[in-house]
Structures are given as structure tokens and as C-alpha cells.
Amino acid sequence: MLYTEILKQNKDFQICYHKGKCVVSQNVIIYAKQNRLPCNRLGITTGKKIGNAVCRSRARRIIRQAWREQEIYAPVGMDIVIVARTHITEINSCVLSRWLFKYGIPALHQIYAGTYQQFPRKSAKS
């Protein structure tokens, strides 16, 4: 990946989950937050609901390939966490790449500019 480093620390994932904005699709959820660094940092999460280890690895490969194809269009200086959903094992990377190009990357630009509107999250206590 040209402009992207790997997000590894748990605290960075947690900050992105709690303070970042999210974009939701049928196949993935993207959490994004500005990081004030000269590069993007990408983290990929696949839970056990996706399936066994083979399915989870395939989901990570699909997400990584789709991101590689579209990363040149993304704004630089963001922490991005992509969470796989259960339907991702039924598609290939071209489908996810097209979704990223049409909806995901424009949403990242809006998040970077501070103009992205999302519905308020429900608190765990409600």
C-alpha cells in the first residue's frame, strides 16, 4: 500500500471506534478519524461471526485488495478501521472496490473536511 501504514495498537482502534465517524454498508463498516500524520493508517477487523479462520482471512484479503485499488483517491492523514460484516464472504474485491469508489472515499473526504452527517449513535445505557 502506497500511502497507508498498518494500524496495530488496540488503543488506536478504540479511539477510532469511539471518536471517529462511521460509514455503513451491507459488507463493511468504515470508522474514520483524522490523525494529523502525513499518511493514512488502516486497520481491518474480522469477527468470529464472519465464519471460520479461512473465511476471516478471505475477508481481510478482499478488504486489503479493494483498499489498494482505491487508496490513491482517499484523503491523507486519517486513521481508518474497516470492520467486515457477514456478507463480505459472498462478494469479490471488485464489488467492494466499486462501493469504496462510489460511496466510501467520498464519505472519507467529507469526514476529513468535517461536513459528514451521520445519525447519532445509541448509547449502551438506553
Side-chain angles (χ1 to χ4, degrees):
M1 292 184 261
L2 294 173
Y3 309 108
T4 307
E5 294 179 358
I6 297 172
L7 194 65
K8 293 182 180 178
Q9 298 293 321
N10 185 33
K11 68 175 185 172
D12 294 330
F13 277 85
Q14 294 300 322
I15 288 170
C16 204
Y17 289 141
H18 296 294
K19 294 189 178 180
K21 307 252 181 181
C22 67
V23 181
V24 180
S25 82
Q26 183 179 8
N27 302 314
V28 294
I29 302 172
I30 300 175
Y31 293 94
K33 181 185 175 310
Q34 287 187 6
N35 64 8
R36 304 191 197 289
L37 296 175
C39 64
N40 289 333
R41 296 190 300 175
L42 177 70
I44 299 173
T45 305
T46 54
K48 285 196 171 186
K49 288 185 179 181
I50 304 295
N52 59 11
V54 175
C55 295
R56 292 193 302 270
S57 295
R58 182 174 188 277
R60 283 191 293 271
R61 284 195 312 270
I62 289 170
I63 292 169
R64 230 179 281 124
Q65 180 60 34
W67 179 256
R68 267 190 215 109
E69 293 172 3
Q70 302 301 328
E71 76 173 322
I72 59 173
Y73 303 113
V76 177
M78 299 189 79
D79 285 345
I80 301 162
V81 176
I82 301 178
V83 180
R85 298 180 86 182
T86 54
H87 292 288
I88 197 157
T89 56
E90 301 166 4
I91 64 168
N92 57 17
S93 65
C94 296
V95 174
L96 185 59
S97 181
R98 274 186 263 130
W99 181 86
L100 274 174
F101 184 74
K102 191 170 182 181
Y103 300 107
I105 299 297
L108 290 178
H109 280 284
Q110 289 178 351
I111 291 169
Y112 188 78
T115 60
Y116 183 75
Q117 297 292 325
Q118 73 178 26
F119 295 108
R121 296 180 190 163
K122 293 181 181 177
S123 63
K125 295 178 182 178
S126 304

